[in-house]
Amino acid sequence: MSRRRGAWRTGLVVVLAVTGVAALPAAHAAADAGPATAKLRADFNGDGYADLAVGAPSGTVGGRTEAGYVAVLYGTAHGLSTTGRKVFSQNTAGVPGTAEKGDRFGSALTTADLDRDGYTDLIVGVGGEDTASGGTDSGCLEVVWGGPRGLSGASSLATGRSAGDGLGAQGHLTAADTDGIADIAVGAPGENSGSGFVWSFRSSTATVVSPNGTTAFGSAVLGTDGTDARLGSGFAY
C-alpha cells in the first residue's frame, strides 16, 4: 500500500438512525471564498468536496440477511451525486471476510486519515462478526482506504476478545483527533458478561492506528460495579 505525504483530515461523529448509521460530510467552502482553512471531514478521493458514507447493517447481501453493507456517495461542486456511487460489503473485493448472516457490516461508521496520505479513510464496525480469536458475535473493526479514485481495499484493525463482545456494534465507535493524529475509541459492551470494555487505539506519525500502545479499561480500572453496566455503549469526544 502506497503512502504519500499530505494533509491529514479528522474523524466524523457517528450518527445513529432508525434504518442505519451515517458518517456525515462537512459543508465545503463557497466557490467565491478564499483559500480554505477548514479541513473536510470526509473526502475519500481528495477532490475537495465532502463525501457521504451510509451504513445498512441489516441489509441482505448475497442472500445473507443482516450481513450488512455501506453505501458511499461522492461530493461534487453541485453536492452529493449518486453517479459513481459505491456499495461495500464483506463480499467486495479487497474487504476482509465474507458476507454472512448476522455479521452487520456497517453497524458503526467513522472516518479519519489513518495512513496520513491526504485521503480520508472509512472505519467500519462489524458488530456481529464471528472471529477466530473471539468467537461468536465477538465483532471486529475494518478500514476501507481512501485514495485518488475514492475508497478501495481494506484491512482489519481489531477483533473482539470473546463471544458476544460486539466490538464495533452500533454507536460504539468514534474517531478523535486532539494533536493532528487520529485515534479510534471503540467499546465492547458485551465484554465480561455485559460489564463492558473500552479500547483507545493510538496512531502516531509513523504507524497506522493499531492495538499497539492501546489504552484499555473496564469496571475494575474505574473502580465501579460492572454488573450489566455495558461500558462502552456510547462516546463523547
Side-chain angles (χ1 to χ4, degrees):
M1 183 185 306
S2 62
R3 297 286 185 271
R4 290 192 303 278
R5 296 177 61 186
W8 50 264
R9 291 175 171 83
T10 57
L12 291 186
V13 67
V14 174
V15 179
L16 306 184
V18 173
T19 57
V21 293
L24 300 178
H28 59 266
D32 58 352
T37 56
K39 298 177 178 64
L40 290 179
R41 290 184 169 184
D43 187 3
F44 302 127
N45 56 8
D47 63 357
Y49 299 104
D51 305 319
L52 174 71
V54 182
S58 296
T60 298
V61 177
R64 309 292 185 179
T65 58
E66 295 193 18
Y69 63 85
V70 175
V72 175
L73 276 65
Y74 292 99
T76 71
H78 305 290
L80 293 169
S81 173
T82 56
T83 301
R85 65 190 180 278
K86 299 291 184 182
V87 176
F88 294 90
S89 73
Q90 288 186 297
N91 280 356
T92 302
V95 176
T98 301
E100 298 170 318
K101 181 178 180 179
D103 278 353
R104 298 187 60 79
F105 181 86
S107 54
L109 302 175
T110 194
T111 62
D113 184 5
L114 295 187
D115 53 4
R116 292 166 300 281
D117 63 354
Y119 301 98
T120 309
D121 308 312
L122 178 65
I123 300 98
V124 182
V126 194
E129 179 79 357
D130 299 342
T131 68
S133 59
T136 303
D137 293 339
S138 54
C140 70
L141 294 182
E142 298 181 346
V143 55
V144 186
W145 302 105
R149 296 185 178 180
L151 294 169
S152 65
S155 302
S156 294
L157 288 179
T159 61
R161 302 193 303 179
S162 57
D165 278 359
L167 188 75
Q170 187 176 26
H172 309 150
L173 173 64
T174 190
D177 168 56
T178 56
D179 55 6
I181 300 170
D183 304 327
I184 296 175
V186 59
E191 175 76 8
N192 299 328
S193 301
S195 174
F197 209 80
V198 173
W199 290 266
S200 176
F201 301 148
R202 173 72 174 154
S203 255
S204 73
T205 55
T207 306
V208 173
V209 64
S210 76
N212 298 323
T214 296
T215 299
F217 59 91
S219 58
V221 172
L222 298 176
T224 59
D225 185 346
T227 306
D228 296 325
R230 300 191 63 78
L231 181 71
S233 291
F235 295 96
Y237 236 133

